Amino acid sequence: MREDGSFEAAFDELFPRAVRLANRLLGDRAAAEDVAAEALARAYARWPKVGGLPYRDGWVLKVATNLAIDRLRRRPPEVWPVTAADFEDGVELRIALNAALLTLAPRQRQAVALRYLGGLSDQEVAQALGISLGSVKTHIHRGLKGLRGRLGAGLEEVTPIAVDGLPLA
């Protein structure tokens, strides 16, 4: 990997991370690659500013998160009753998780996605979202509580459970 601060060097590092994040949200590798490409294209268009940000990675992953969530919103709603047996198959769980994520407030959804799906620290999430560390912790706490409430009926029999890094039990 090149360490010269160029967009090309950043692309080599950030594209796979953005694909992983979007794939966790979308469950569709091709769509995730499209989302990651769009996020990096937006970074490229603003590279003179974005390239020098101390939270550059967080900025790109936040854009990828927002694009993936927008894509999820455009999908027809899929309401599936969730039971413990469904969690044996990752596809049903991913669909239920995506539907539950869409019920969260936007900041909660962003904070949870960046923290657990994007792998950022709480401090990096705070920088990416431009909010305090305490606000990040509050948004994450409330977001996880909302996810547990939405998925709780099916999670009661399956403990502990973590879905794509999200501590849900």
Side-chain angles (χ1 to χ4, degrees):
M1 179 173 65
R2 297 167 285 195
E3 297 293 333
D4 58 10
S6 70
F7 176 77
E8 292 78 14
F11 181 92
D12 291 344
E13 175 189 343
L14 292 171
F15 184 76
R17 291 178 66 192
V19 169
R20 259 191 322 277
L21 171 63
N23 192 40
R24 286 179 173 175
L25 287 168
L26 299 170
D28 178 348
R29 178 74 180 188
E33 288 175 356
D34 290 345
V35 163
E38 176 65 23
L40 271 294
R42 291 182 184 192
Y44 180 75
R46 296 168 184 82
W47 194 248
K49 180 180 177 186
V50 172
L53 293 173
Y55 52 90
R56 175 199 74 191
D57 295 9
W59 188 93
V60 171
L61 294 177
K62 177 183 174 187
V63 171
T65 298
N66 291 341
L67 290 169
I69 289 169
D70 287 346
R71 203 172 268 233
L72 285 171
R73 282 189 188 122
R74 289 191 300 265
R75 288 183 182 172
E78 298 177 32
V79 179
W80 294 34
V82 179
T83 66
D86 291 334
F87 292 131
E88 293 176 11
D89 184 359
V91 175
E92 284 85 3
L93 181 56
R94 186 177 307 277
I95 290 169
L97 178 59
N98 286 339
L101 278 168
L102 290 174
T103 66
L104 298 178
R107 275 288 192 215
Q108 292 173 5
R109 185 171 46 242
Q110 290 172 335
V112 167
L114 288 171
R115 175 67 178 93
Y116 293 104
L117 303 178
L120 299 181
S121 69
D122 288 348
Q123 186 62 44
E124 290 170 325
V125 172
Q127 288 177 331
L129 296 178
I131 59 177
S132 72
L133 182 60
S135 293
V136 167
K137 291 181 179 188
T138 299
H139 288 307
I140 288 173
H141 174 76
R142 289 179 181 164
L144 291 176
K145 183 178 178 183
L147 290 175
R148 287 182 192 112
R150 173 91 171 151
L151 300 173
L155 292 174
E156 291 172 359
E157 300 172 32
V158 184
T159 57
I161 187 169
V163 181
D164 288 332
L166 286 163
L168 295 177

